Amino acid sequence: MKKMTPLLITDVRSVANSYAAQLHFCRRQTPISSSLARTVHAHMIASGFRPRGHIVNRLIDIYCKCSNLSYARNLFDEIPQPDVVARTTLVAAYSAAGNPKLARDIFIGIPLDMRDTVCYNAMITGYSRNNDGLAAVRLFREMRWDGVRPDNFTFSSVLAALGLVTEDEWQCRQMHCAVVKSGLGLVTSVLNALTSVYVKCAAASSSSALLMAAARKLFDEMVEKDELSWTTMITGYVRCDDLDTARELLEGMSEKVGVAWNAMISGYVHHSRFQEALEMFKKMPSMEIPMDEFTYTSLISGCANSGFFQLGKELHAYILRTEAKPTKDFSLSVNNALVTLYYRCDKVDLARKVFDKMSVRDTVSWNAILSGYMEAKRVEEAKSFFVEIPERNGLTWTVIISGLAQNGYGEEAMKLFNQMRVEGFEPCDYAFAGAIISCAVLGALEHGRQLHAQLISLGHDSSLSAGNALITMYARCGVFEAAELLFLTMPCVDSVSWNAMIAALAQHGRGVQAIKLFEQMLKDDIRPDRITFLTILSACSHAGLVKEGRHYFNSMRDSYGITPGEDHYARMIDLLCRAGQFSEAKNLINSMPFEAGVPIWEALLAGCRTHGNMDLGIQAAERLFELMPQHDGTYVLLSNMYANAGKWENVAKVRKLMRDRGIKKEPGCSWIEVESKVHVFLVDDTKHPEVEAVYKYLEKVGIEMRKLGYVPDTKFVLHDMESEEHKEYALSTHSEKLAVGFGLLKLPKGAAIRVFKNLRICGDCHNAFKFMSRVVEREIVVRDGKRFHHFRNGECSCANFW
């Protein structure tokens, strides 16, 4: 640009032409253009030149294109009577900047006699770009009522907007008629947009075949087809699950278009036809079809979803060999897909290596690694990684909250849920689901109820994920009836809902009902998965339904093609051992297609402890000592088995072994929620501020219990004591008794007592609560480390089988 000096020129037209020529150099969208335009504008002001008409419009246009909307608006506001060009320019600029409200304000200010097709197009396009399809369609109708003739750009924009909102065949055909009447029925861009509307409506409609037929008729009658025409139709068939027709159309293309091939590959991957997707991928180089990030991400995602680790790794190597200078967009999307692949294939360290080498990262990258750590149960690493994340979004919070809850860190999950809200993030239904699961872990019923109320007030109560979490929460907090009511009233349920409800029945000892619900699930054509079989086997185990459990275990492979995992074998062995069928349990262990691991031997040892099978129990314990020498549970079960048999020398040896190996027994504790506060009690507790009152109350209730026939069962004293009096006192200080006593003292008369215990309830406490429920005439619910016990009128829901 020539250096500008003030000129005393009287020829205004010459000056205007000079400025117009200078502004011509600023028409490109670059930061330099904006700076030059401001310089020219400043010179106009300094020289006293008052621009009019096309000069002002050009300045506004340059400022808008360079995203200096404040400059453009200031200039616009100084014009006494801005023309339609200036107004339309601002409408388009505000729309492009994602501010349709300001665009609408400018548009409304345009007098009706000034509005033209371009002006309407700018506003309709603005609504469409900002995903307000209904507003765009309404404005199109206003345009026609105002007598303004739509052109091909109008129809392209309004049809794109219609595709955002319609699932109605009638609206598609109505707009089709409008296109034909306008005389634009042969314009390729308009026909592409109309075809796209039919296709989108077909994917969401029950009349998909009719709508796809209409789209195909349009496509076949098009005089000129471009890449978009072919890609739209192929994508439409893919979305409507008609992959064979899509492939047939693809093969008929005269020019092989990468976008269409990507759509086809993505369709095959989505429908688990991975081999066909791979074959198409292999053909692309020989047919000179370029591969891009969409090609690779589809295939890598397919490998991740199907667990094809080795193939995904080969794809990674191929990308490194062939993509020498990838773009930032390519690297980001492909690397994110690779991170997901590796963590889903249980290779979190490989995922982290890819992440660490990424030159560009986004929230997807960070969230993927966080998810990987959580899924691998590497909670401490996940917590450290969460702190490092530079920008957290709602998904980041949801991943950490849900992950902590699922891994048993309920208290930390709740703290983060509250912190999320303090930092201004409105929790979505998935974040609520994580918080609700935290309440389930903690047994915090009242807090869970509050979250349920918040869900309803926020309109998330119809959420499937939140509903499933609520079923689990109410079930694990001992309010089975609420879980059942929720399941029955949910607007829609999925396999997770059924699994949660079957699990609830299992936890509460309702094995027969669990089986009935499972059979109903099958009748409703809900296919059971491996989780379903885990829950039904648990239900059979807790209810002693050996025959039924054996049937369902065998049906996994025979009827549903699901190979039982170690967890399924462990549940089956637990069922057999609870029923005392040790020979069959041993035969099942010997028939397993893999070496028995910790869950198998733990189930066997627990059964041996229950039935006093000393020899087999010792064998199981020895295997566990080899596999997990530092796990306290093995030593405790073995010690308890010796104690029940009165072999105190062996008890002493086991405890000495624990001391020598530096192993500490997890202390038994029980807790109860009273007035939204959780009160924790340990065995022989002396620290709780009201524990003395609890002891006195239990002593008083104990007198009434003895009148009904209660006698402390001292065989459950696991320490060698000389007198029966000492043994009875030791039993009276068990943590679950203290928690129940506190609840009886503090909760309103008639309220159910709900106590949670980290370990298995002892036999004497179980017997005592049956008598206690008669004395106090209240329901006592105890959740131990395995299941729920509901004590009512001297009976327990477990029927003494646990």
XYZ file of all heavy atoms in Angstrom, residues 310-353:
357
model
N -4.001 -56.567 18.560
C -2.890 -56.761 17.634
C -3.134 -56.045 16.310
O -2.229 -55.410 15.760
C -2.662 -58.260 17.383
C -1.346 -58.585 16.671
C -0.119 -58.049 17.398
O -0.018 -58.134 18.621
N 0.813 -57.468 16.651
N -4.353 -56.146 15.795
C -4.683 -55.470 14.538
C -4.599 -53.959 14.699
O -4.097 -53.251 13.815
C -6.089 -55.877 14.091
C -6.566 -55.310 12.750
C -5.606 -55.673 11.623
C -7.969 -55.827 12.433
N -5.077 -53.456 15.833
C -4.975 -52.025 16.088
C -3.535 -51.563 16.151
O -3.187 -50.491 15.648
N -2.693 -52.408 16.735
C -1.265 -52.077 16.823
C -0.628 -52.040 15.431
O 0.220 -51.189 15.133
C -0.572 -53.118 17.704
C 0.772 -52.687 18.260
C 1.293 -53.707 19.256
C 2.648 -53.264 19.792
N 3.215 -54.271 20.707
N -1.055 -52.975 14.557
C -0.557 -52.993 13.175
C -0.993 -51.736 12.424
O -0.231 -51.172 11.635
C -1.054 -54.247 12.462
C -0.394 -55.535 12.953
C -1.037 -56.778 12.367
O -1.840 -56.645 11.418
O -0.747 -57.881 12.865
N -2.244 -51.309 12.653
C -2.716 -50.061 12.038
C -1.878 -48.876 12.509
O -1.528 -47.991 11.725
C -4.182 -49.823 12.395
C -5.237 -50.502 11.534
C -6.610 -50.367 12.174
C -5.252 -49.903 10.130
N -1.549 -48.873 13.798
C -0.711 -47.812 14.351
C 0.638 -47.778 13.625
O 1.107 -46.707 13.211
C -0.521 -48.069 15.852
C 0.157 -46.950 16.575
N 0.425 -46.984 17.925
C 0.636 -45.749 16.140
C 1.022 -45.876 18.285
N 1.177 -45.109 17.223
N 1.238 -48.939 13.461
C 2.533 -49.014 12.774
C 2.408 -48.538 11.316
O 3.290 -47.829 10.806
C 3.058 -50.448 12.811
N 1.316 -48.909 10.651
C 1.097 -48.509 9.253
C 0.979 -46.982 9.144
O 1.538 -46.367 8.223
C -0.174 -49.177 8.734
C -0.507 -48.847 7.302
C 0.110 -49.530 6.249
C -1.422 -47.853 6.988
C -0.188 -49.211 4.936
C -1.733 -47.533 5.679
C -1.115 -48.221 4.649
O -1.414 -47.904 3.348
N 0.272 -46.387 10.091
C 0.115 -44.921 10.082
C 1.469 -44.244 10.249
O 1.789 -43.266 9.558
C -0.860 -44.482 11.199
C -2.272 -44.985 10.890
C -0.868 -42.968 11.345
C -3.230 -44.888 12.065
N 2.281 -44.761 11.168
C 3.613 -44.174 11.400
C 4.488 -44.266 10.157
O 5.276 -43.362 9.858
C 4.292 -44.875 12.577
C 3.667 -44.647 13.960
C 4.355 -45.506 15.009
C 3.745 -43.177 14.353
N 4.326 -45.367 9.386
C 5.140 -45.540 8.173
C 4.679 -44.650 7.020
O 5.494 -44.138 6.259
C 5.086 -47.003 7.701
C 5.882 -47.983 8.532
C 6.146 -49.282 7.762
N 4.950 -49.825 7.159
C 4.107 -50.661 7.764
N 4.348 -51.009 9.032
N 3.053 -51.137 7.155
N 3.375 -44.476 6.888
C 2.831 -43.837 5.679
C 2.500 -42.361 5.842
O 2.422 -41.636 4.850
C 1.559 -44.571 5.221
O 0.608 -44.586 6.293
C 1.880 -46.000 4.812
N 2.279 -41.914 7.055
C 1.910 -40.505 7.264
C 3.113 -39.753 7.814
O 3.267 -39.563 9.012
C 0.711 -40.406 8.221
C -0.529 -41.125 7.750
C -1.147 -40.475 6.520
O -0.905 -39.267 6.282
O -1.878 -41.173 5.789
N 3.975 -39.302 6.895
C 5.229 -38.674 7.306
C 5.002 -37.305 7.942
O 5.636 -36.949 8.933
C 6.158 -38.536 6.102
N 4.093 -36.512 7.347
C 3.846 -35.156 7.857
C 2.343 -34.959 8.084
O 1.673 -34.263 7.314
C 4.381 -34.112 6.887
C 5.896 -34.129 6.749
C 6.379 -33.049 5.804
C 7.899 -33.042 5.686
N 8.361 -31.980 4.746
N 1.808 -35.594 9.099
C 0.367 -35.459 9.349
C 0.000 -34.053 9.805
O 0.803 -33.366 10.444
C 0.106 -36.476 10.460
C 1.416 -36.606 11.168
C 2.479 -36.419 10.117
N -1.199 -33.609 9.462
C -1.691 -32.324 9.936
C -2.040 -32.424 11.419
O -2.152 -33.522 11.979
C -2.950 -31.895 9.157
O -3.992 -32.848 9.420
C -2.672 -31.848 7.660
N -2.236 -31.271 12.036
C -2.589 -31.264 13.464
C -3.926 -31.960 13.685
O -4.087 -32.725 14.643
C -2.643 -29.834 13.984
C -1.275 -29.209 14.194
C -1.391 -27.844 14.844
C 0.005 -27.259 15.108
N -0.091 -25.917 15.748
N -4.899 -31.685 12.794
C -6.217 -32.318 12.938
C -6.118 -33.830 12.806
O -6.758 -34.581 13.546
C -7.191 -31.774 11.895
C -7.619 -30.352 12.204
O -7.453 -29.923 13.365
O -8.108 -29.663 11.290
N -5.315 -34.274 11.836
C -5.117 -35.709 11.623
C -4.497 -36.339 12.870
O -4.993 -37.335 13.396
C -4.209 -35.927 10.411
C -3.914 -37.371 10.110
C -4.639 -38.053 9.147
C -2.904 -38.065 10.776
C -4.382 -39.382 8.857
C -2.640 -39.389 10.505
C -3.372 -40.048 9.535
N -3.409 -35.745 13.354
C -2.696 -36.310 14.508
C -3.586 -36.376 15.738
O -3.603 -37.384 16.458
C -1.456 -35.467 14.824
O -0.526 -35.548 13.775
N -4.348 -35.302 15.963
C -5.171 -35.250 17.174
C -6.238 -36.336 17.174
O -6.359 -37.106 18.129
C -5.820 -33.874 17.294
C -6.680 -33.650 18.547
C -5.842 -33.796 19.805
C -7.341 -32.282 18.499
N -6.999 -36.434 16.074
C -8.104 -37.400 16.057
C -7.599 -38.840 16.045
O -8.143 -39.702 16.746
C -9.017 -37.142 14.853
O -8.298 -37.223 13.650
N -6.536 -39.110 15.286
C -6.003 -40.472 15.212
C -5.367 -40.871 16.539
O -5.573 -41.993 17.028
C -4.995 -40.607 14.051
C -4.271 -41.944 14.115
C -5.710 -40.474 12.712
N -4.592 -39.984 17.131
C -3.965 -40.308 18.418
C -5.007 -40.512 19.523
O -4.853 -41.383 20.382
C -2.973 -39.217 18.821
C -1.652 -39.334 18.091
O -1.203 -40.443 17.799
N -1.037 -38.213 17.763
N -6.064 -39.717 19.497
C -7.142 -39.926 20.475
C -7.764 -41.313 20.307
O -8.073 -41.994 21.290
C -8.224 -38.851 20.309
C -7.820 -37.531 20.930
O -6.873 -37.456 21.712
N -8.538 -36.472 20.592
N -7.949 -41.712 19.045
C -8.508 -43.048 18.783
C -7.543 -44.136 19.270
O -7.970 -45.155 19.826
C -8.794 -43.213 17.300
N -6.238 -43.926 19.071
C -5.242 -44.902 19.512
C -5.192 -45.004 21.037
O -5.077 -46.106 21.598
C -3.855 -44.524 18.973
C -3.635 -44.773 17.478
C -2.365 -44.076 16.998
C -3.571 -46.274 17.184
N -5.288 -43.874 21.717
C -5.312 -43.881 23.187
C -6.500 -44.708 23.682
O -6.373 -45.548 24.581
C -5.391 -42.440 23.737
C -5.718 -42.445 25.233
C -4.079 -41.712 23.499
N -7.652 -44.490 23.046
C -8.855 -45.247 23.423
C -8.682 -46.735 23.151
O -9.070 -47.580 23.960
C -10.076 -44.706 22.657
O -10.215 -43.307 22.925
C -11.347 -45.430 23.077
N -8.097 -47.055 21.983
C -7.849 -48.458 21.639
C -7.016 -49.143 22.710
O -7.383 -50.216 23.211
C -7.113 -48.529 20.293
C -6.407 -49.866 19.994
C -7.422 -50.934 19.634
C -5.371 -49.710 18.890
N -5.916 -48.522 23.088
C -4.997 -49.181 24.018
C -5.602 -49.328 25.411
O -5.462 -50.369 26.052
C -3.668 -48.422 24.062
C -2.835 -48.608 22.811
C -2.208 -47.541 22.181
C -2.689 -49.876 22.241
C -1.451 -47.721 21.027
C -1.941 -50.061 21.090
C -1.324 -48.985 20.486
O -0.588 -49.169 19.340
N -6.294 -48.297 25.885
C -6.830 -48.455 27.249
C -7.991 -49.438 27.274
O -8.161 -50.163 28.263
C -7.181 -47.103 27.871
C -8.591 -46.587 27.708
C -9.674 -47.202 28.345
C -8.850 -45.434 26.965
C -10.959 -46.702 28.225
C -10.134 -44.927 26.839
C -11.181 -45.569 27.470
O -12.459 -45.071 27.358
N -8.766 -49.511 26.194
C -9.863 -50.488 26.175
C -9.354 -51.919 26.040
O -10.060 -52.863 26.392
C -10.835 -50.169 25.030
C -11.719 -48.974 25.326
C -12.843 -48.866 24.339
N -13.693 -47.729 24.633
C -14.636 -47.280 23.824
N -14.864 -47.899 22.669
N -15.372 -46.247 24.157
N -8.154 -52.058 25.525
C -7.536 -53.386 25.427
C -6.637 -53.668 26.628
O -5.729 -54.507 26.566
C -6.744 -53.505 24.124
S -7.770 -53.525 22.638
N -6.865 -52.917 27.723
C -6.130 -53.110 28.984
C -4.643 -52.840 28.838
O -3.822 -53.458 29.527
C -6.352 -54.527 29.532
C -7.814 -54.815 29.819
O -8.521 -53.891 30.247
O -8.245 -55.965 29.601
N -4.292 -51.905 27.960
C -2.890 -51.517 27.783
C -2.755 -50.032 28.111
O -2.428 -49.205 27.260
C -2.433 -51.783 26.341
C -2.704 -53.192 25.831
C -1.834 -54.228 26.516
C -2.098 -55.626 25.958
N -1.333 -56.667 26.655
N -3.024 -49.689 29.357
C -3.059 -48.283 29.745
C -1.683 -47.636 29.604
O -1.573 -46.469 29.233
C -3.563 -48.132 31.196
C -3.710 -46.666 31.562
C -4.884 -48.835 31.355
N -0.635 -48.388 29.882
C 0.710 -47.811 29.776
C 1.043 -47.452 28.326
O 1.690 -46.436 28.064
C 1.745 -48.780 30.346
C 1.594 -48.953 31.852
O 1.206 -47.969 32.523
O 1.831 -50.057 32.357
N 0.588 -48.283 27.369
C 0.784 -47.948 25.957
C -0.028 -46.712 25.589
O 0.440 -45.853 24.833
C 0.377 -49.127 25.066
C 1.352 -50.299 24.975
C 0.768 -51.402 24.096
C 2.692 -49.838 24.404
N -1.249 -46.636 26.117
C -2.079 -45.452 25.868
C -1.380 -44.200 26.384
O -1.360 -43.164 25.715
C -3.439 -45.619 26.540
N -0.762 -44.321 27.557
C -0.069 -43.164 28.139
C 1.145 -42.764 27.294
O 1.463 -41.574 27.151
C 0.341 -43.478 29.577
C 0.994 -42.301 30.311
C 0.025 -41.128 30.423
N 0.685 -39.927 30.875
C 0.682 -39.511 32.149
N 0.049 -40.210 33.076
N 1.279 -38.387 32.488
N 1.829 -43.750 26.717
C 2.979 -43.433 25.848
C 2.539 -42.623 24.631
O 3.202 -41.654 24.244
C 3.657 -44.726 25.398
C 4.557 -45.365 26.451
C 5.269 -46.597 25.909
C 6.156 -47.226 26.972
N 6.845 -48.449 26.463
